[in-house]
Amino acid sequence: MSEIVEWTPDAHELADLELLLSGAFEPLTGFLGHDDLHAVHERGTLADGTPWPAPVTLHLSAEVSPGDEVRLLDPEGLPLAVLTVTAHDADGLTAGPIEALGTPEHGPFARLRRTPAEVRAALGGRPALVVTMRGPLDDLTEITATAKELDAVIVLLPLSYGEAGPAVVRAALRAAERLPEGTLVVPVPLAPREEPEIDLELREHVATAYGATEHLAGPEPVTLPGPPHRRGLVIFFTGLSGSGKSTVARGLRDALLELGTRTVTHLDGDVVRHLLSKGLTFSKADRDLNIRRIGFVAAEAARHGGLAICAPIAPYAATREEVREMVESVGADFLLVHVATPLEECERRDRKGLYAKARAGLIPEFTGISDPYEEPDDADLVIDTTHISIEAAVSRVLGTLQSGGWVR
């Protein structure tokens, strides 16, 4: 009997899943495997020669085999679909057909969503001018003229993916008020592709699925980030136990509070462990989960322009990179500070006696002794507190913030 695994895809995969389920990605019936993926990259077709412009993939870290069923969940844990595994590669690439279990409920403007079949039914055979948009439509002249020439219903498809999604939908609703009566607004969570040509091809395909007689791609939005001192920022200290990172982080917090020019959130490692991560062990899985929780809270603090300071050990490069991605995905900046005090000095200090216990085998999986610390090669600032005072270390971090424009 095959095993049923539960899995929550990432944001990009969830968006693709919704379009697979709605029929917007027809003729696809599931996620692509290695052969189809290779053909898409090489020829712009599936392995059987069917034209298809872009990868639509799912990566699953759980151990599954062909024939297993994977229940795909939304971020709130509601089941969306069942994937029947046909292939699972060593890198996690998992292929197979999907079957719907429920209607996607996550994300804003759910009441406006319609499947391609529902839109085509509403059109009733009339021609349609479908406009895909990732930003505001400042000039509606071409849209209005083309629709009049075709005698077509205008269908606005705001591509409502990610943080900018709600703003794009609102822009579509505002545009609809200035367009002919009967204009439809249908949010579509199409994630952008890196290559503009492929992104445009996929938009064309989705527009056709929604009944387009003709497709217009709205202009790409021009985004001008605010000055650094107005942007959210996460300062993420990493280093061995006893390196001085927590002390430097507290000193930086105090210095910033004295300046009074930024809203500061300080996520102290011990406090986080006691409250946010109470009950977690020091296994690798639980330590990773602790860092992800810190990263999530820090990103939320930075989402609206706040400055967050974190100082966990964070020994694994992959988990630190996850936090960086969390922060940057909400439009904030991420500053990684490696407090690179050597193990010998950290062990010499050993105020809590942790290293002595680890050496005696009383603390398993202790970073630097029985578990690795992966030194970052992407640190924005490296500090060794062996021969400098805490005040000097704080001044170096504060100087970096001031020279980068994050603090005035």
Side-chain angles (χ1 to χ4, degrees), residues 23 34 42 175 212 253 274 279 290 331 345 382 394:
H34 181 271
E42 292 296 316
R253 173 202 61 190
H274 181 67
N290 179 52
E345 175 63 16
V382 179
V394 170

Side-chain angles (χ1 to χ4, degrees), residues 115-363:
T115 66
E118 289 170 338
V119 171
R120 291 195 304 268
L123 291 171
R126 292 172 295 171
L129 173 63
V130 176
V131 183
T132 56
M133 47 190 291
R134 292 203 188 276
L137 300 171
D138 296 323
D139 186 357
L140 303 178
T141 306
E142 182 184 4
I143 295 172
T144 305
T146 305
K148 185 175 182 180
E149 179 183 334
L150 296 172
D151 191 23
V153 178
I154 299 171
V155 181
L156 301 181
L157 300 185
L159 305 178
S160 56
Y161 176 79
E163 291 294 312
V168 180
V169 178
R170 288 193 292 270
L173 292 171
R174 286 195 299 271
E177 294 173 355
R178 297 183 286 140
L179 289 168
E181 187 176 351
T183 294
L184 301 177
V185 175
V186 183
V188 177
L190 180 64
R193 268 51 184 183
E194 290 183 5
E195 298 179 40
E197 298 83 2
I198 290 177
D199 190 62
L200 181 57
E201 281 188 58
L202 201 53
R203 288 167 73 165
E204 291 266 7
H205 186 95
V206 169
T208 300
Y210 276 91
T213 306
E214 188 163 328
H215 167 235
L216 289 178
E220 291 298 307
V222 177
T223 56
L224 298 174
H229 70 277
R230 295 188 183 278
R231 293 204 297 269
L233 173 65
V234 172
I235 307 162
F236 193 95
F237 290 86
T238 176
L240 293 169
S241 177
S243 62
K245 62 186 180 306
S246 296
T247 310
V248 176
R250 285 194 295 272
L252 179 65
R253 173 202 61 190
D254 294 345
L256 290 171
L257 290 175
E258 287 174 19
L259 283 173
T261 58
R262 297 290 307 239
T263 301
V264 179
T265 299
H266 179 219
L267 297 170
D268 178 78
D270 290 337
V271 174
V272 166
R273 269 282 176 185
H274 181 67
L275 297 175
L276 188 64
S277 296
K278 190 173 183 178
L280 293 185
T281 68
F282 286 89
S283 68
K284 182 181 186 304
D286 278 4
R287 279 187 287 177
D288 281 346
L289 179 56
N290 179 52
I291 300 306
R292 290 189 190 101
R293 288 179 178 178
I294 291 172
F296 175 78
V297 175
E300 289 301 300
R303 181 191 294 271
H304 303 294
L307 184 152
I309 302 170
C310 324
I313 292 174
Y316 308 118
T319 317
R320 294 192 298 260
E321 183 59 29
E322 281 186 56
V323 175
R324 182 188 290 274
E325 290 173 1
M326 278 187 213
V327 172
E328 292 179 348
S329 72
V330 301
D333 294 333
F334 183 86
L335 191 75
L336 183 63
V337 181
H338 179 203
V339 183
T341 307
L343 174 62
E344 296 75 17
E345 175 63 16
C346 296
E347 196 165 358
R348 187 191 66 77
R349 296 173 182 177
D350 201 15
R351 289 182 302 166
K352 299 179 182 179
L354 299 177
Y355 283 100
K357 290 179 181 178
R359 292 286 186 192
L362 300 177
I363 304 177

Side-chain angles (χ1 to χ4, degrees), residues 57-76:
T57 58
L58 175 73
H59 282 80
L60 185 69
S61 63
E63 285 300 319
V64 293
S65 303
D68 287 347
E69 292 186 342
V70 179
R71 187 177 289 119
L72 301 176
L73 312 177
D74 76 2
E76 297 177 359

